[in-house]
Amino acid sequence: MSKRRTRRGILLLALLAALTWLLSEEAAEPEAKTMAGLDTQFNYALFDFQGRLLDDYGKISLEMEAPSLRSNAGSGIGTVQQPNIRIQQEDEEWYITADSAEVSADREHITLQGDVKLLRRNQLTGELLDIKTSEVLLNVTPRTASTESNVQIRHAGDRLNATGMEIDMINDRYELLSEVRAHYEVL
């Protein structure tokens, strides 16, 4: 009789272990349910922002620092306060500042607003090109910039004023669009 009781106890213990295991599996892994209408995109703000865009070869094509960057999840547009942008182009560095900027969702277009300053410095010669204007559209990949606003340019001792300008940073060219006035220093 003792053997029969022992077998029943072992069978009952095995059944209890199997039941416990089944119940714990159901509690450990709840069914995955999708939540309809859940928005997974968030608006955010970054303070003391520093960012870099890399080209296809992993080299830095653009660096930006700003006190704040705010991103709108719905449009993908970023708003930057007091951006400081540095673009390295072979032996020349471009330093660009503005009161504010909007960065497109694809990060290819930056609209600079307010007092915009573009400074090109040649690392080998120390030569400076200083441009002051407002409302500049900076195209990141082709490295071009344009404005329809008034422009003041200082290069060496020369001063140029115009309305509208287009800059090609790769080919080191700029074109003044209209109402060009110049003052050249003769050495």
Side-chain angles (χ1 to χ4, degrees):
M1 185 140 109
S2 166
K3 285 185 178 183
R4 186 182 255 184
R5 237 180 170 178
T6 304
R7 274 190 248 152
R8 281 187 193 165
I10 292 173
L11 187 59
L12 187 59
L13 189 57
L15 184 61
L16 186 59
L19 185 61
T20 303
W21 179 76
L22 285 173
L23 290 175
S24 70
E25 282 295 309
E26 289 177 14
E29 295 181 31
E31 241 179 81
K33 296 179 184 176
T34 58
M35 298 176 72
L38 180 64
D39 183 10
T40 58
Q41 296 181 343
F42 298 102
N43 294 338
Y44 62 86
L46 301 173
F47 298 97
D48 294 328
F49 170 75
Q50 294 180 347
R52 293 180 176 154
L53 291 178
L54 305 177
D55 64 13
D56 293 336
Y57 304 105
K59 289 185 176 181
I60 297 171
S61 65
L62 182 141
E63 290 180 286
M64 182 185 293
E65 293 181 359
S68 69
L69 173 134
R70 298 181 191 284
S71 179
N72 182 308
S75 66
I77 294 175
T79 305
V80 183
Q81 294 302 313
Q82 299 172 337
N84 289 310
I85 299 171
R86 186 181 78 82
I87 299 173
Q88 182 69 40
Q89 181 59 43
E90 295 181 15
D91 294 334
E92 297 180 330
E93 288 181 317
W94 285 87
Y95 298 96
I96 303 169
T97 61
D99 291 335
S100 65
E102 280 190 0
V103 181
S104 66
D106 63 1
R107 294 172 194 79
E108 282 295 316
H109 307 284
I110 301 173
T111 304
L112 302 155
Q113 301 159 343
D115 289 331
V116 180
K117 296 175 184 166
L118 299 98
L119 179 70
R120 183 195 70 201
R121 182 178 162 270
N122 186 302
Q123 295 173 325
L124 299 176
T125 65
E127 181 182 333
L128 296 176
L129 174 69
D130 187 6
I131 303 170
K132 295 179 183 176
T133 187
S134 60
E135 305 296 324
V136 173
L137 175 62
L138 176 63
N139 299 300
V140 175
T141 299
R143 295 196 183 161
T144 60
S146 61
T147 184
E148 294 178 6
S149 300
N150 291 333
V151 179
Q152 296 175 345
I153 299 175
R154 290 183 159 266
H155 183 246
D158 304 332
R159 292 186 313 269
L160 299 165
N161 293 307
T163 301
M165 174 186 66
E166 294 179 356
I167 299 173
D168 182 344
M169 295 175 189
I170 292 175
N171 295 314
D172 194 22
R173 269 188 65 195
Y174 62 89
E175 179 181 351
L176 302 173
L177 302 179
S178 67
E179 300 179 36
V180 178
R181 294 163 309 284
H183 173 83
Y184 290 102
E185 290 287 323
V186 180
L187 300 175

